[in-house]
Amino acid sequence: MKKIVFIGICLILISCGKKEVLLPQILETVVADVKDHSPIYMFFKIDKKDTLVEVNRKSSIVSTNWLFNIDKRLPLKLVIPEIQKLQAKKENSEHKNAAADNYFTYMDSQKKTLAFLPFTGIVYKMEKPNFEMNFLYFMKNGKVKCNNQELEKSELEDCLNNLRIEHESEINIGYDKNLSFENYISNRFMLKKLVIKKLGLSINFKTEYIY
């Protein structure tokens, strides 16, 4: 059975004109199956010394769930503007289906199966935020800033739980625009697992800043 599943994954990776998409690998499955879907591919391409993204959206039917197959090597500065364009296309279409969602595809590296991470409703902003608000910023060097303090990711939970807040507060999320898509996905999974005990503090998962 595992062999059949793995063959299916390989076919998905090369099914668009025999071009390869290397998917992120995560050790868990959020959603195992998505019905009524259309695939969108973002390929990693090198032109001389420049990294480029090549998008194939020909099969994207607005009324369906969209599966974003994004090469894990692509930087966010190339990926996010394309996602924004596609989000706008779907939102502004007269044929849109309110029940249709958007998913990132990735591989569950333990089960060796394809898995899906929903991201419908996330607003991406290619800009610096208002730094008066509490903020986490994931850096390309693998560390994270909690407000102005640079930390190892293992220290992040303690930092959040020791923040001084005077009233209910959200902490906002930002990512280095040069971060790879795979590291972005990995950080999102890590954030979801944080245990925040600080009363009144929560993470804003609805808006993400890329800069």
Side-chain angles (χ1 to χ4, degrees):
M1 179 63 181
K2 287 185 178 180
K3 289 183 179 179
I4 294 173
V5 172
F6 185 73
I7 290 171
I9 293 170
C10 291
L11 290 175
I12 288 170
L13 296 183
I14 64 174
S15 64
C16 190
K18 295 187 178 180
K19 293 179 181 179
E20 183 178 64
V21 174
L22 300 179
L23 294 179
Q25 298 191 43
I26 304 293
L27 280 169
E28 64 180 279
T29 291
V30 176
V31 177
D33 187 34
V34 178
K35 305 293 186 184
D36 188 25
H37 62 261
S38 299
I40 294 169
Y41 298 88
M42 293 192 192
F43 299 104
F44 179 89
K45 183 179 178 181
I46 296 290
D47 184 9
K48 296 179 181 179
K49 293 183 179 181
D50 295 327
T51 298
L52 304 175
V53 58
E54 183 179 335
V55 183
N56 187 315
R57 58 176 74 85
K58 294 179 181 178
S59 300
S60 57
I61 301 171
V62 173
S63 61
T64 65
N65 296 303
W66 281 359
L67 305 184
F68 285 71
N69 303 282
I70 300 174
D71 195 295
K72 66 182 183 180
R73 299 168 290 181
L74 287 167
L76 293 182
K77 65 182 178 183
L78 297 181
V79 169
I80 300 303
E82 298 297 335
I83 291 175
Q84 289 175 315
K85 292 176 190 175
L86 288 159
Q87 285 177 319
K89 175 186 174 181
K90 199 174 201 180
E91 180 63 27
N92 296 328
S93 173
E94 60 181 14
H95 302 295
K96 70 178 180 180
N97 176 1
D101 291 317
N102 296 328
Y103 297 85
F104 293 130
T105 62
Y106 66 96
M107 280 190 63
D108 184 321
S109 54
Q110 185 172 16
K111 297 179 181 177
K112 306 296 183 186
T113 56
L114 196 65
F116 309 94
L117 177 65
F119 69 97
T120 308
I122 292 180
V123 175
Y124 292 101
K125 296 189 176 183
M126 299 291 292
E127 61 187 50
K128 289 185 178 181
N130 174 0
F131 284 104
E132 293 181 1
M133 53 190 179
N134 287 314
F135 202 75
L136 298 180
Y137 180 67
F138 289 89
M139 307 168 69
K140 190 181 178 183
N141 64 7
K143 294 185 178 182
V144 58
K145 282 186 178 179
C146 180
N147 291 337
N148 292 318
Q149 186 178 4
E150 187 172 317
L151 306 168
E152 300 291 340
K153 292 178 187 177
S154 58
E155 302 173 298
L156 181 54
E157 196 169 279
D158 285 341
C159 177
L160 292 176
N161 287 320
N162 286 298
L163 281 179
R164 292 183 179 181
I165 58 173
E166 297 179 357
H167 48 77
E168 287 191 6
S169 178
E170 284 188 326
I171 191 154
N172 295 275
I173 308 299
Y175 298 92
D176 188 318
K177 65 182 180 181
N178 295 304
L179 201 68
S180 72
F181 183 69
E182 180 167 53
N183 285 333
Y184 163 71
I185 292 295
S186 177
N187 287 328
R188 286 197 61 196
F189 272 85
M190 186 271 288
L191 281 172
K192 289 288 188 180
K193 293 180 180 179
L194 291 177
V195 178
I196 299 179
K197 300 177 182 178
K198 187 75 173 182
L199 292 178
L201 183 66
S202 60
I203 296 177
N204 176 11
F205 288 107
K206 296 180 181 179
T207 304
E208 295 182 358
Y209 296 85
I210 315 296
Y211 62 96

PDB file of all heavy atoms in Angstrom, residues 123-143:
ATOM      1  N   VAL A 123      -4.355  36.961   5.271  1.00  0.00           N
ATOM      2  CA  VAL A 123      -4.019  38.157   4.503  1.00  0.00           C
ATOM      3  C   VAL A 123      -2.507  38.344   4.558  1.00  0.00           C
ATOM      4  O   VAL A 123      -1.917  38.467   5.638  1.00  0.00           O
ATOM      5  CB  VAL A 123      -4.718  39.402   5.074  1.00  0.00           C
ATOM      6  CG1 VAL A 123      -4.266  40.660   4.334  1.00  0.00           C
ATOM      7  CG2 VAL A 123      -6.232  39.241   4.991  1.00  0.00           C
ATOM      8  N   TYR A 124      -1.878  38.342   3.382  1.00  0.00           N
ATOM      9  CA  TYR A 124      -0.435  38.542   3.307  1.00  0.00           C
ATOM     10  C   TYR A 124      -0.144  40.010   2.985  1.00  0.00           C
ATOM     11  O   TYR A 124      -0.752  40.581   2.086  1.00  0.00           O
ATOM     12  CB  TYR A 124       0.165  37.655   2.224  1.00  0.00           C
ATOM     13  CG  TYR A 124       0.105  36.177   2.555  1.00  0.00           C
ATOM     14  CD1 TYR A 124      -0.867  35.361   1.992  1.00  0.00           C
ATOM     15  CD2 TYR A 124       1.023  35.607   3.432  1.00  0.00           C
ATOM     16  CE1 TYR A 124      -0.929  34.007   2.300  1.00  0.00           C
ATOM     17  CE2 TYR A 124       0.969  34.262   3.748  1.00  0.00           C
ATOM     18  CZ  TYR A 124      -0.003  33.463   3.175  1.00  0.00           C
ATOM     19  OH  TYR A 124      -0.058  32.127   3.477  1.00  0.00           O
ATOM     20  N   LYS A 125       0.820  40.572   3.709  1.00  0.00           N
ATOM     21  CA  LYS A 125       1.218  41.963   3.460  1.00  0.00           C
ATOM     22  C   LYS A 125       2.712  42.022   3.223  1.00  0.00           C
ATOM     23  O   LYS A 125       3.495  41.621   4.091  1.00  0.00           O
ATOM     24  CB  LYS A 125       0.828  42.850   4.651  1.00  0.00           C
ATOM     25  CG  LYS A 125      -0.676  42.944   4.871  1.00  0.00           C
ATOM     26  CD  LYS A 125      -1.032  43.986   5.915  1.00  0.00           C
ATOM     27  CE  LYS A 125      -2.538  44.141   6.046  1.00  0.00           C
ATOM     28  NZ  LYS A 125      -2.908  45.206   7.007  1.00  0.00           N
ATOM     29  N   MET A 126       3.091  42.514   2.045  1.00  0.00           N
ATOM     30  CA  MET A 126       4.506  42.638   1.695  1.00  0.00           C
ATOM     31  C   MET A 126       5.028  43.993   2.200  1.00  0.00           C
ATOM     32  O   MET A 126       5.370  44.877   1.433  1.00  0.00           O
ATOM     33  CB  MET A 126       4.687  42.508   0.183  1.00  0.00           C
ATOM     34  CG  MET A 126       4.252  41.193  -0.400  1.00  0.00           C
ATOM     35  SD  MET A 126       5.316  39.812   0.089  1.00  0.00           S
ATOM     36  CE  MET A 126       6.838  40.203  -0.762  1.00  0.00           C
ATOM     37  N   GLU A 127       5.054  44.137   3.515  1.00  0.00           N
ATOM     38  CA  GLU A 127       5.448  45.410   4.115  1.00  0.00           C
ATOM     39  C   GLU A 127       5.828  45.216   5.568  1.00  0.00           C
ATOM     40  O   GLU A 127       5.491  44.198   6.187  1.00  0.00           O
ATOM     41  CB  GLU A 127       4.279  46.407   4.048  1.00  0.00           C
ATOM     42  CG  GLU A 127       3.053  45.930   4.819  1.00  0.00           C
ATOM     43  CD  GLU A 127       1.838  46.815   4.629  1.00  0.00           C
ATOM     44  OE1 GLU A 127       1.512  47.107   3.455  1.00  0.00           O
ATOM     45  OE2 GLU A 127       1.232  47.216   5.634  1.00  0.00           O
ATOM     46  N   LYS A 128       6.545  46.190   6.114  1.00  0.00           N
ATOM     47  CA  LYS A 128       6.859  46.169   7.530  1.00  0.00           C
ATOM     48  C   LYS A 128       5.619  46.566   8.322  1.00  0.00           C
ATOM     49  O   LYS A 128       4.859  47.428   7.892  1.00  0.00           O
ATOM     50  CB  LYS A 128       8.006  47.135   7.835  1.00  0.00           C
ATOM     51  CG  LYS A 128       9.356  46.671   7.312  1.00  0.00           C
ATOM     52  CD  LYS A 128      10.466  47.631   7.763  1.00  0.00           C
ATOM     53  CE  LYS A 128      11.816  47.141   7.268  1.00  0.00           C
ATOM     54  NZ  LYS A 128      12.924  48.032   7.714  1.00  0.00           N
ATOM     55  N   PRO A 129       5.430  45.955   9.478  1.00  0.00           N
ATOM     56  CA  PRO A 129       4.253  46.295  10.285  1.00  0.00           C
ATOM     57  C   PRO A 129       4.495  47.527  11.148  1.00  0.00           C
ATOM     58  O   PRO A 129       5.581  48.107  11.155  1.00  0.00           O
ATOM     59  CB  PRO A 129       4.109  45.046  11.162  1.00  0.00           C
ATOM     60  CG  PRO A 129       5.531  44.603  11.363  1.00  0.00           C
ATOM     61  CD  PRO A 129       6.240  44.887  10.066  1.00  0.00           C
ATOM     62  N   ASN A 130       3.474  47.885  11.883  1.00  0.00           N
ATOM     63  CA  ASN A 130       3.585  48.917  12.906  1.00  0.00           C
ATOM     64  C   ASN A 130       4.294  48.308  14.113  1.00  0.00           C
ATOM     65  O   ASN A 130       3.759  47.425  14.777  1.00  0.00           O
ATOM     66  CB  ASN A 130       2.180  49.393  13.290  1.00  0.00           C
ATOM     67  CG  ASN A 130       2.195  50.371  14.444  1.00  0.00           C
ATOM     68  OD1 ASN A 130       3.248  50.720  14.973  1.00  0.00           O
ATOM     69  ND2 ASN A 130       1.021  50.814  14.847  1.00  0.00           N
ATOM     70  N   PHE A 131       5.502  48.782  14.386  1.00  0.00           N
ATOM     71  CA  PHE A 131       6.294  48.136  15.428  1.00  0.00           C
ATOM     72  C   PHE A 131       5.859  48.505  16.844  1.00  0.00           C
ATOM     73  O   PHE A 131       6.516  48.136  17.811  1.00  0.00           O
ATOM     74  CB  PHE A 131       7.776  48.440  15.222  1.00  0.00           C
ATOM     75  CG  PHE A 131       8.377  47.641  14.099  1.00  0.00           C
ATOM     76  CD1 PHE A 131       8.632  48.223  12.874  1.00  0.00           C
ATOM     77  CD2 PHE A 131       8.639  46.293  14.267  1.00  0.00           C
ATOM     78  CE1 PHE A 131       9.178  47.485  11.833  1.00  0.00           C
ATOM     79  CE2 PHE A 131       9.186  45.546  13.243  1.00  0.00           C
ATOM     80  CZ  PHE A 131       9.457  46.133  12.024  1.00  0.00           C
ATOM     81  N   GLU A 132       4.772  49.233  16.980  1.00  0.00           N
ATOM     82  CA  GLU A 132       4.237  49.488  18.315  1.00  0.00           C
ATOM     83  C   GLU A 132       3.484  48.268  18.849  1.00  0.00           C
ATOM     84  O   GLU A 132       3.209  48.176  20.034  1.00  0.00           O
ATOM     85  CB  GLU A 132       3.299  50.702  18.279  1.00  0.00           C
ATOM     86  CG  GLU A 132       4.016  52.010  17.989  1.00  0.00           C
ATOM     87  CD  GLU A 132       3.065  53.193  17.995  1.00  0.00           C
ATOM     88  OE1 GLU A 132       1.856  52.972  18.238  1.00  0.00           O
ATOM     89  OE2 GLU A 132       3.525  54.320  17.766  1.00  0.00           O
ATOM     90  N   MET A 133       3.173  47.335  17.947  1.00  0.00           N
ATOM     91  CA  MET A 133       2.461  46.141  18.395  1.00  0.00           C
ATOM     92  C   MET A 133       3.455  45.029  18.719  1.00  0.00           C
ATOM     93  O   MET A 133       4.592  45.026  18.258  1.00  0.00           O
ATOM     94  CB  MET A 133       1.465  45.679  17.336  1.00  0.00           C
ATOM     95  CG  MET A 133       2.024  45.480  15.950  1.00  0.00           C
ATOM     96  SD  MET A 133       0.676  45.234  14.763  1.00  0.00           S
ATOM     97  CE  MET A 133       1.591  45.049  13.242  1.00  0.00           C
ATOM     98  N   ASN A 134       3.014  44.058  19.550  1.00  0.00           N
ATOM     99  CA  ASN A 134       3.848  42.895  19.840  1.00  0.00           C
ATOM    100  C   ASN A 134       4.071  42.117  18.554  1.00  0.00           C
ATOM    101  O   ASN A 134       3.156  41.956  17.742  1.00  0.00           O
ATOM    102  CB  ASN A 134       3.174  42.012  20.893  1.00  0.00           C
ATOM    103  CG  ASN A 134       3.222  42.643  22.274  1.00  0.00           C
ATOM    104  OD1 ASN A 134       4.252  43.139  22.695  1.00  0.00           O
ATOM    105  ND2 ASN A 134       2.099  42.633  22.976  1.00  0.00           N
ATOM    106  N   PHE A 135       5.294  41.597  18.402  1.00  0.00           N
ATOM    107  CA  PHE A 135       5.634  41.066  17.090  1.00  0.00           C
ATOM    108  C   PHE A 135       6.666  39.946  17.168  1.00  0.00           C
ATOM    109  O   PHE A 135       7.612  40.011  17.954  1.00  0.00           O
ATOM    110  CB  PHE A 135       6.203  42.205  16.225  1.00  0.00           C
ATOM    111  CG  PHE A 135       6.100  41.944  14.757  1.00  0.00           C
ATOM    112  CD1 PHE A 135       4.888  42.061  14.100  1.00  0.00           C
ATOM    113  CD2 PHE A 135       7.211  41.554  14.030  1.00  0.00           C
ATOM    114  CE1 PHE A 135       4.787  41.807  12.745  1.00  0.00           C
ATOM    115  CE2 PHE A 135       7.130  41.303  12.681  1.00  0.00           C
ATOM    116  CZ  PHE A 135       5.912  41.428  12.034  1.00  0.00           C
ATOM    117  N   LEU A 136       6.445  38.916  16.316  1.00  0.00           N
ATOM    118  CA  LEU A 136       7.445  37.864  16.100  1.00  0.00           C
ATOM    119  C   LEU A 136       7.923  37.959  14.666  1.00  0.00           C
ATOM    120  O   LEU A 136       7.119  38.131  13.752  1.00  0.00           O
ATOM    121  CB  LEU A 136       6.840  36.474  16.336  1.00  0.00           C
ATOM    122  CG  LEU A 136       6.315  36.155  17.722  1.00  0.00           C
ATOM    123  CD1 LEU A 136       5.757  34.722  17.741  1.00  0.00           C
ATOM    124  CD2 LEU A 136       7.418  36.294  18.752  1.00  0.00           C
ATOM    125  N   TYR A 137       9.235  37.827  14.481  1.00  0.00           N
ATOM    126  CA  TYR A 137       9.795  37.914  13.132  1.00  0.00           C
ATOM    127  C   TYR A 137      10.774  36.767  12.921  1.00  0.00           C
ATOM    128  O   TYR A 137      11.786  36.652  13.614  1.00  0.00           O
ATOM    129  CB  TYR A 137      10.514  39.254  12.937  1.00  0.00           C
ATOM    130  CG  TYR A 137      11.120  39.434  11.560  1.00  0.00           C
ATOM    131  CD1 TYR A 137      10.309  39.551  10.441  1.00  0.00           C
ATOM    132  CD2 TYR A 137      12.502  39.505  11.400  1.00  0.00           C
ATOM    133  CE1 TYR A 137      10.861  39.732   9.181  1.00  0.00           C
ATOM    134  CE2 TYR A 137      13.064  39.695  10.143  1.00  0.00           C
ATOM    135  CZ  TYR A 137      12.245  39.801   9.042  1.00  0.00           C
ATOM    136  OH  TYR A 137      12.783  39.979   7.795  1.00  0.00           O
ATOM    137  N   PHE A 138      10.437  35.893  11.961  1.00  0.00           N
ATOM    138  CA  PHE A 138      11.276  34.735  11.672  1.00  0.00           C
ATOM    139  C   PHE A 138      12.355  35.121  10.661  1.00  0.00           C
ATOM    140  O   PHE A 138      12.071  35.547   9.548  1.00  0.00           O
ATOM    141  CB  PHE A 138      10.419  33.578  11.156  1.00  0.00           C
ATOM    142  CG  PHE A 138       9.569  32.970  12.220  1.00  0.00           C
ATOM    143  CD1 PHE A 138       8.293  33.465  12.469  1.00  0.00           C
ATOM    144  CD2 PHE A 138      10.047  31.936  13.002  1.00  0.00           C
ATOM    145  CE1 PHE A 138       7.509  32.919  13.471  1.00  0.00           C
ATOM    146  CE2 PHE A 138       9.282  31.387  14.013  1.00  0.00           C
ATOM    147  CZ  PHE A 138       8.009  31.877  14.243  1.00  0.00           C
ATOM    148  N   MET A 139      13.601  34.946  11.072  1.00  0.00           N
ATOM    149  CA  MET A 139      14.746  35.391  10.302  1.00  0.00           C
ATOM    150  C   MET A 139      15.299  34.260   9.427  1.00  0.00           C
ATOM    151  O   MET A 139      15.102  33.072   9.722  1.00  0.00           O
ATOM    152  CB  MET A 139      15.825  35.911  11.248  1.00  0.00           C
ATOM    153  CG  MET A 139      15.309  36.981  12.220  1.00  0.00           C
ATOM    154  SD  MET A 139      16.452  37.350  13.557  1.00  0.00           S
ATOM    155  CE  MET A 139      17.762  38.165  12.643  1.00  0.00           C
ATOM    156  N   LYS A 140      16.026  34.647   8.405  1.00  0.00           N
ATOM    157  CA  LYS A 140      16.602  33.657   7.501  1.00  0.00           C
ATOM    158  C   LYS A 140      17.682  32.818   8.179  1.00  0.00           C
ATOM    159  O   LYS A 140      17.930  31.673   7.800  1.00  0.00           O
ATOM    160  CB  LYS A 140      17.183  34.350   6.262  1.00  0.00           C
ATOM    161  CG  LYS A 140      17.571  33.373   5.161  1.00  0.00           C
ATOM    162  CD  LYS A 140      18.178  34.068   3.956  1.00  0.00           C
ATOM    163  CE  LYS A 140      18.601  33.050   2.904  1.00  0.00           C
ATOM    164  NZ  LYS A 140      19.268  33.707   1.743  1.00  0.00           N
ATOM    165  N   ASN A 141      18.317  33.356   9.216  1.00  0.00           N
ATOM    166  CA  ASN A 141      19.373  32.617   9.909  1.00  0.00           C
ATOM    167  C   ASN A 141      18.845  31.563  10.871  1.00  0.00           C
ATOM    168  O   ASN A 141      19.619  30.919  11.604  1.00  0.00           O
ATOM    169  CB  ASN A 141      20.301  33.596  10.657  1.00  0.00           C
ATOM    170  CG  ASN A 141      19.595  34.357  11.773  1.00  0.00           C
ATOM    171  OD1 ASN A 141      18.438  34.088  12.096  1.00  0.00           O
ATOM    172  ND2 ASN A 141      20.275  35.335  12.363  1.00  0.00           N
ATOM    173  N   GLY A 142      17.525  31.374  10.900  1.00  0.00           N
ATOM    174  CA  GLY A 142      16.942  30.333  11.735  1.00  0.00           C
ATOM    175  C   GLY A 142      16.497  30.806  13.106  1.00  0.00           C
ATOM    176  O   GLY A 142      15.869  30.054  13.855  1.00  0.00           O
ATOM    177  N   LYS A 143      16.802  32.065  13.423  1.00  0.00           N
ATOM    178  CA  LYS A 143      16.388  32.609  14.721  1.00  0.00           C
ATOM    179  C   LYS A 143      15.095  33.402  14.563  1.00  0.00           C
ATOM    180  O   LYS A 143      14.607  33.611  13.462  1.00  0.00           O
ATOM    181  CB  LYS A 143      17.494  33.481  15.307  1.00  0.00           C
ATOM    182  CG  LYS A 143      18.754  32.687  15.658  1.00  0.00           C
ATOM    183  CD  LYS A 143      19.790  33.548  16.352  1.00  0.00           C
ATOM    184  CE  LYS A 143      21.015  32.710  16.727  1.00  0.00           C
ATOM    185  NZ  LYS A 143      22.037  33.527  17.447  1.00  0.00           N
TER     186      LYS A 143
END
